[in-house]
Amino acid sequence: MASKSGLASGPCADVAVVILNWNGQDFLRRFLPSVLYHSDGAAVFVIDNASTDNSVGLLQQEFPAVQLIQHPQNLGFCEGYNAGLRQLSAEFRYYVLLNSDVEVTPGWLLPQRELLEQHPQIAACQPKIRQYSEDATQRQLLEYAGAGGGYLDRLGYPFCRGRLFDTLETDHDQYNDPRPVAWATGACMLVRATAWHQLGGLEPRFFAHMEEIDLCWRLQNAGYEVWYHGGSVVYHVGGGTLHKSNPRKTYLNFHNGLALVYMNTHGSELAGTLTLRLLLDWVAALRLLSQGNTADFRAVLRAHWQFWRQLAYWRQRRQKFPPVRTTGERAGLYRGSLVWAYFGKGIKRFSELEPELLS
C-alpha cells in the first residue's frame, strides 16, 4: 500500500497526482520537474505499465521523491489506472489523472481542489488545456484533448469549447469561466476519490480513448457534476501514445464511441441515437475507403463487429450503472448534430453554435 510518508505538507497534501507511464522516459524527464515543483504539497505517483525502456531506472535515480507503482504487464490506460489507484492510501481525498506529456504551471492544482472542497456535488474537474510547443504562438492554441471543457452533441459525439473536430481556437481568455461540462479530459482530471471508487474507476474494456467521457457520464447519472476551471492552465503534447493516423486509434474511437452511447444514453433516447450513430459511422467508413484509407476502413468494420460481439457485456454494464438522465437534464450538451453543424453548415468555432441548443 502506497502512503504519504515523508512528503512535505501543503494545501494539496490530500491529493495524489498520478501519472500512468509506458515507455515514456523522455516525457518523464521533460515534464516531471514541473509537476514536482508546482503541485502545492501533493504526493506524486508514477504507475509504470511494464515499460521496456529505462523509465523505472530514471525515476529511481533522478526522481526519488516520486512514488513508484509497477505493473508486471501493460494493462492499458484504463485498467492501468484502476489497478494502480487501488494501491493508494485511503488518506487521499482526491486523485489527479495526469498524462506524462503534460507541463503544469504555477497554481494549476489548488483552484480545482478548492472548487471540489466548496461543492461536494462536483466529482471531477479539469483545467484549461493548451497546446504544448516550443513556439510561443502555438502555445496559445487550445489543445485537442480538453481545451476549454468537454461537451457532447445529442448523438454522443465529443467536442470542446475551443475545439470542434480538428479546428483549434487561440486562447484569448474567452474560456476562463468555471462552469459545469459534460466531461473532463483524462489528460488532466481531478476526481474525488470516493466517487471514483463508487463507480469502479475507468471502463477496462475501453483500454484507452473516451474512457474519461464514459466515467464523467456515469458520474452525472449517479447524481454528481463535472466541471471545468479556466483559472488553471496546463500544456499538453497530445498523441504521445497513439497518433490520430494510427488504425488502432480509429478502432478504439469507433468501438468505444458506440459502447459509450449504448451504456449511457437514457432509455427513451437510445434507439434513435444508436441508429443514427451507426449510420454516420458507415458514412465515415465509406469516406475513408473513398480516400484510400483501407486500414482505417477495416478498423471501423472491426470496431462494429467487436461492439456487437460484446453486447451482452455492455448490456450488463448499462444495468449496473443505469442512465437516468436525459439529454435535457445534463450539463455540457449541444442538442443538435455537431457533424451537421461542422461539415454541413461550416461552423468552426464553439461561439458559432446556436446558444439555445447549448446547456
Side-chain angles (χ1 to χ4, degrees):
M1 178 75 71
S3 72
K4 297 193 295 183
S5 58
L7 293 175
S9 61
C12 295
D14 57 357
V15 179
V17 177
V18 187
I19 299 167
L20 184 70
N21 174 72
W22 180 72
N23 290 346
Q25 63 174 336
D26 292 338
F27 285 143
L28 294 174
R29 181 178 283 113
R30 191 188 317 174
F31 297 120
L32 258 180
S34 72
V35 176
L36 290 167
Y37 192 73
H38 294 307
S39 294
D40 292 318
V44 178
F45 291 82
V46 170
I47 302 171
D48 189 75
N49 242 346
S51 293
T52 56
D53 65 0
N54 191 43
S55 292
V56 171
L58 172 74
L59 291 167
Q60 293 172 336
Q61 295 166 18
E62 299 186 23
F63 300 102
V66 172
Q67 302 189 55
L68 178 63
I69 297 172
Q70 293 180 261
H71 293 325
Q73 62 190 44
N74 185 354
L75 301 178
F77 187 89
C78 298
E79 193 56 26
Y81 261 121
N82 290 344
L85 293 184
R86 284 195 290 267
Q87 299 185 46
L88 264 62
S89 167
E91 296 172 83
F92 294 111
R93 298 181 61 201
Y94 305 103
Y95 305 140
V96 177
L97 278 59
L98 184 70
N99 279 13
S100 62
D101 59 349
V102 170
E103 177 187 77
V104 304
T105 63
W108 73 283
L109 184 53
L110 189 56
Q112 298 177 81
R113 180 191 173 276
E114 288 179 343
L115 181 70
L116 268 68
E117 281 284 290
Q118 294 165 9
H119 302 281
Q121 76 276 15
I122 301 176
C125 181
Q126 72 155 83
K128 182 189 294 181
I129 313 288
R130 282 186 183 171
Q131 186 165 284
Y132 178 83
S133 175
E134 301 296 335
D135 179 83
T137 301
Q138 292 294 310
R139 284 174 70 87
Q140 294 300 312
L141 289 175
L142 293 162
E143 206 271 331
Y144 182 90
Y151 271 64
L152 293 170
D153 81 349
R154 66 184 180 88
L155 298 179
Y157 284 104
F159 63 102
C160 305
R161 294 199 305 167
R163 189 272 292 175
L164 305 186
F165 286 99
D166 290 334
T167 302
L168 304 175
E169 294 181 33
T170 299
D171 181 20
H172 297 297
D173 295 334
Q174 68 270 42
Y175 303 120
N176 278 5
D177 55 322
R179 61 171 297 132
V181 292
W183 54 275
T185 176
C188 183
M189 175 198 290
L190 176 69
V191 60
R192 196 178 297 276
T194 52
W196 169 276
H197 292 296
Q198 175 187 341
L199 295 183
L202 302 172
E203 169 50 56
R205 290 208 180 181
F206 274 23
F207 188 81
H209 296 291
M210 297 192 188
E211 71 289 328
E212 75 269 55
I213 303 175
D214 170 68
L215 174 64
C216 290
W217 207 335
R218 284 188 283 126
L219 285 170
Q220 289 182 319
N221 278 322
Y224 293 106
E225 295 177 8
V226 177
W227 277 60
Y228 159 85
H229 200 312
S232 171
V233 180
V234 302
Y235 294 86
H236 182 218
V237 174
T241 303
L242 285 176
H243 191 269
K244 65 181 181 180
S245 63
N246 190 317
R248 173 65 172 165
K249 188 161 189 173
T250 301
Y251 166 82
L252 290 170
N253 281 336
F254 279 84
H255 172 269
N256 295 355
L258 284 180
L260 176 77
V261 167
Y262 180 80
M263 285 193 294
N264 297 296
T265 302
H266 189 270
S268 64
E269 302 169 335
L270 178 60
T273 300
L274 190 61
T275 299
L276 287 172
R277 275 298 296 261
L278 289 167
L279 289 172
L280 288 173
D281 277 8
W282 277 103
V283 170
L286 293 173
R287 184 169 180 265
L288 290 168
L289 184 62
S290 70
Q291 295 171 339
N293 296 329
T294 55
D296 286 318
F297 172 75
R298 289 195 296 269
V300 177
L301 298 185
R302 190 167 67 254
H304 278 221
W305 167 246
Q306 287 296 327
F307 168 74
W308 291 114
R309 280 189 68 234
Q310 299 167 356
L311 187 60
Y313 174 82
W314 301 124
R315 185 180 295 117
Q316 182 184 54
R317 295 291 284 176
R318 179 181 170 85
Q319 292 169 349
K320 184 174 182 179
F321 304 107
V324 297
R325 291 191 177 184
T326 65
T327 299
E329 296 172 322
R330 302 199 316 274
L333 268 292
Y334 172 58
R335 292 183 294 276
S337 167
L338 186 67
V339 173
W340 173 245
Y342 188 88
F343 294 103
K345 300 168 69 175
I347 291 175
K348 304 299 182 183
R349 298 171 65 88
F350 181 87
S351 60
E352 297 170 356
L353 295 171
E354 306 91 320
E356 68 274 11
L357 297 182
L358 292 167
S359 62

